[in-house]
Amino acid sequence: MIKLHNVSKSFSQFQAIKSVFLTIDQGEIHGIIGASGAGKSTLLRHMNLLEIPDEGEVEVNGQKLTSLSSKELRQARKSIGMIFQHFNLVANKTVYENVAVSLEITNFPKKERKNRVLECLQFVGLESSLEKYPAQLSGGQKQRVGIARALANKPQVLLCDEPTSSLDPNTTAEILGVLENINKSLGVTIVIVSHEMEVIKSICNRVTVMEAGEIYDTVLIEPTSIQIIDNSPRYYVEQLTKGGGMDDA
Amino acid sequence: MPELLVQYETEIWTSIGETFVMVGVSILAAILIGLPVGTFLFLCRKGQVLENQFVFSILNLLVNIIRSFPFLLLVVFLIPFTRLVLGTAIGTAAATVPLSIIAIAHYSRLVEQSLLEVPKGVIEAAISMGASIQDIIFKFLYVEARSGFVLGLTTSIISFISYSTIMGVVGGGGIGDFAIRYGYQQFKTELMIYMIIIMVILVQLIQFFGTTVSRMIDKR
Ligand SMILES: Nc1ncnc2c1ncn2[C@@H]1O[C@H](COP(=O)(O)OP(=O)(O)OP(=O)(O)O)[C@@H](O)[C@H]1O
Ligand SMILES: [Mg+2]
């Protein structure tokens, strides 16, 4: 469970988050949507204290993050995974090493590390690319590595900042499928920031709409399930040339 | 082999040895002190994990001051300090003191620059995983910046060689000093040219080696 209680945040003079109250339930897939600059990323980044609120409290997995020591906070972050629009992988580490590093950081038992890394990479379908470097991967594969890395420490919460915004529609659907699977089979609470309505509609149970640093509304939705969109070149041509009605008589 | 080289063989080898000592100590100083200083310069910047305006300003100012000294003046200016540290301000060992100081200032700046090229998102990913400062430095920053470190060190070593050529003023010797004393002051132009050729080959080798290594370890 994630609880934001009266959270406010300013950057110099500019108030990016204005006394936000938000509760996200255990097991939910929660969307955050809104225009560019509305404060979606900033709000998400409060959920693992990448941003420290000027005011208010943040509680995740029953722990009040805002009152932890820095050591306790690092400990708490193990149970809060995060993935990013630009993946943020270590370019000089292989796929295997990128996942393994998150276990090194948390002192995961040495003997079990290898198994855990392989297990996570298998889960995202990348077990055959262990020795590749990020530069050799497609965007979708990079995001899978990001997901495997975030899952390694068995988090209870997964924070996703525009996880599919640099991917094509088909790859987007695949990644959303992986996220849905994580939620269903591992019971991980997921928060997804996106400005793409389709993404939000396809997998979220509840959506928070933001405007200018405030919550405009939080609505319950029925996920429409993920549409695997045909991304064959033929489909693109068809969509592009489909009559715009200009010459309809 | 040209007659002159044979005639001065012992002196030439001695001067090459002196250059290696001076440059070698500078490299050690650059790595052992310049690397940490550069890392702190980076980490103490605004918005970084150890943000500290005070420490940053002091380090930044020191590095700038040292680097803005004309090197010859720095050598002279540091004579009392060198005497304090080593008991003498004359000789090859004494020459390593000002060389090390400029080496630290020079390399720390290049380290800082390489670290600034590491995408901010990588550091954020590290923090979000629960990484400590130590983890961030050794498991993320240094891994991503390593080819920049090597290229920076290559550039630095070449500068150190250049700086070392004027250490004759404090009796430091070295190839440059030999070229000036015998080649220039005793009008043995040929000898001076040989020394320059040795320097050129040395620099070429270092640059080739540095570029190759940095390319090998760069997977970006
Ligand atoms: N570190 C920062 N320093 C200064 N201003 C910031 C910082 N981070 C965010 N802001 C500002 O806060 C506001 C909200 O930013 P945020 O990144 O949360 O928006 P967003 O809703 O995620 O937008 P986008 O869809 O473009 O990603 C923006 O006006 C942004 O310029
Ligand atoms: Mg954003």
Side-chain angles (χ1 to χ4, degrees):
Chain A
M1 197 179 69
I2 303 169
K3 243 185 193 160
L4 301 180
H5 185 86
N6 196 21
V7 167
S8 293
K9 176 73 177 180
S10 295
F11 297 108
S12 40
Q13 297 303 314
F14 178 76
Q15 198 173 6
I17 301 292
K18 300 167 187 163
S19 56
V20 163
F21 290 81
L22 177 64
T23 303
I24 297 172
D25 295 323
Q26 179 71 45
E28 213 184 308
I29 300 186
H30 194 100
I32 300 178
I33 198 165
S36 195
K40 307 180 293 292
S41 298
T42 308
L43 192 69
L44 186 80
R45 292 156 54 82
H46 276 89
M47 298 177 190
N48 60 0
L49 247 51
L50 273 182
E51 298 293 355
I52 296 159
D54 300 332
E55 228 183 296
E57 282 164 359
V58 178
E59 190 185 315
V60 179
N61 303 329
Q63 261 185 315
K64 209 174 273 176
L65 299 187
T66 33
S67 48
L68 297 181
S69 71
S70 63
K71 196 168 169 225
E72 290 166 327
L73 177 59
R74 274 190 273 125
Q75 188 71 24
R77 280 176 174 148
K78 291 180 194 179
S79 335
I80 313 172
M82 190 170 200
I83 61 172
F84 307 85
Q85 176 176 1
H86 299 295
F87 325 120
N88 298 345
L89 303 178
V90 181
N92 281 330
K93 285 186 191 289
T94 61
V95 166
Y96 180 91
E97 291 166 341
N98 262 288
V99 180
V101 73
S102 65
L103 298 176
E104 290 167 25
I105 284 171
T106 55
N107 285 320
F108 196 88
K110 254 201 179 112
K111 283 185 199 147
E112 297 156 41
R113 273 181 207 168
K114 191 169 178 204
N115 273 338
R116 182 63 190 153
V117 173
L118 296 179
E119 202 172 36
C120 292
L121 284 169
Q122 220 148 30
F123 187 89
V124 297
L126 268 185
E127 65 277 16
S128 57
S129 307
L130 302 181
E131 298 306 320
K132 285 195 178 156
Y133 286 91
Q136 301 165 282
L137 302 177
S138 71
Q141 289 173 319
K142 285 183 204 170
Q143 195 56 289
R144 285 167 192 265
V145 178
I147 293 172
R149 176 174 75 175
L151 285 185
N153 285 301
K154 307 184 179 168
Q156 292 169 265
V157 170
L158 181 61
L159 307 176
C160 314
D161 194 356
E162 309 264 8
T164 60
S165 297
S166 5
L167 306 176
D168 69 43
N170 206 35
T171 316
T172 292
E174 282 171 23
I175 293 297
L176 292 180
V178 174
L179 293 179
E180 195 167 43
N181 191 14
I182 289 169
N183 174 259
K184 295 277 177 313
S185 64
L186 307 175
V188 173
T189 307
I190 295 184
V191 188
I192 299 189
V193 165
S194 183
H195 59 260
E196 296 166 304
M197 189 61 88
E198 289 310 312
V199 167
I200 294 291
K201 265 165 69 180
S202 65
I203 68 168
C204 295
N205 317 117
R206 228 156 46 105
V207 181
T208 291
V209 182
M210 288 194 73
E211 190 197 18
E214 290 176 298
I215 292 184
Y216 177 80
D217 203 356
T218 297
V219 292
L220 213 59
I221 63 170
E222 203 52 55
T224 54
S225 91
I226 303 148
Q227 303 287 318
I228 301 280
I229 299 160
D230 185 1
N231 71 341
S232 66
R234 190 175 49 82
Y235 170 82
Y236 285 129
V237 171
E238 268 172 24
Q239 291 299 306
L240 288 167
T241 54
K242 209 156 61 180
M246 295 292 283
D247 46 14
D248 279 6
Chain B
M1 190 144 39
E3 204 184 309
L4 264 178
L5 285 184
V6 179
Q7 192 188 334
Y8 286 100
E9 203 185 327
T10 332
E11 285 93 335
I12 291 173
W13 280 116
T14 309
S15 70
I16 290 178
E18 286 160 351
T19 294
F20 270 75
V21 169
M22 290 189 285
V23 173
V25 173
S26 308
I27 295 172
L28 275 182
I31 294 173
L32 295 180
I33 307 178
L35 180 61
V37 169
T39 306
F40 269 102
L41 264 175
F42 171 77
L43 292 175
C44 293
R45 267 175 174 266
K46 194 165 157 45
Q48 299 298 342
V49 284
L50 287 181
E51 179 172 342
N52 187 325
Q53 196 61 43
F54 181 73
V55 175
F56 176 79
S57 308
I58 296 217
L59 286 179
N60 197 39
L61 187 69
L62 267 176
V63 167
N64 278 345
I65 289 176
I66 294 169
R67 296 198 57 201
S68 52
F69 257 89
F71 185 57
L72 192 57
L73 289 184
L74 182 72
V75 174
V76 177
F77 179 80
L78 283 175
I79 285 177
F81 174 73
T82 306
R83 195 171 286 135
L84 192 77
V85 176
L86 291 176
T88 174
I90 303 295
T92 307
T96 63
V97 173
L99 277 171
S100 297
I101 287 178
I102 191 74
I104 292 165
H106 191 93
Y107 191 52
S108 62
R109 197 53 99 194
L110 296 182
V111 165
E112 183 199 20
Q113 274 170 23
S114 299
L115 292 174
L116 281 168
E117 277 170 31
V118 176
K120 213 169 159 31
V122 170
I123 303 171
E124 280 191 349
I127 297 172
S128 78
M129 285 181 237
S132 62
I133 302 281
Q134 242 184 24
D135 291 329
I136 294 174
I137 295 172
F138 293 106
K139 294 188 198 301
F140 293 85
L141 287 174
Y142 282 8
V143 175
E144 285 302 67
R146 64 191 184 190
S147 66
F149 288 175
V150 170
L151 276 186
L153 192 62
T154 307
T155 309
S156 297
I157 293 171
I158 290 167
S159 302
F160 303 163
I161 292 175
S162 173
Y163 288 136
S164 77
T165 57
I166 64 145
M167 296 317 291
V169 290
V170 291
I175 306 173
D177 183 46
F178 178 85
I180 288 171
R181 278 193 296 134
Y182 291 79
Y184 179 65
Q185 286 166 357
Q186 298 185 13
F187 306 107
K188 297 194 174 75
T189 309
E190 201 190 330
L191 201 53
M192 187 166 78
I193 291 171
Y194 290 140
M195 292 303 106
I196 293 173
I197 291 174
I198 292 179
M199 302 277 263
V200 169
I201 293 173
L202 194 61
V203 168
Q204 293 292 333
L205 283 176
I206 291 169
Q207 187 64 57
F208 173 77
F209 187 71
T211 311
T212 309
V213 170
S214 90
R215 211 178 278 150
M216 257 168 43
I217 58 176
D218 190 3
K219 309 292 183 186
R220 289 174 295 173

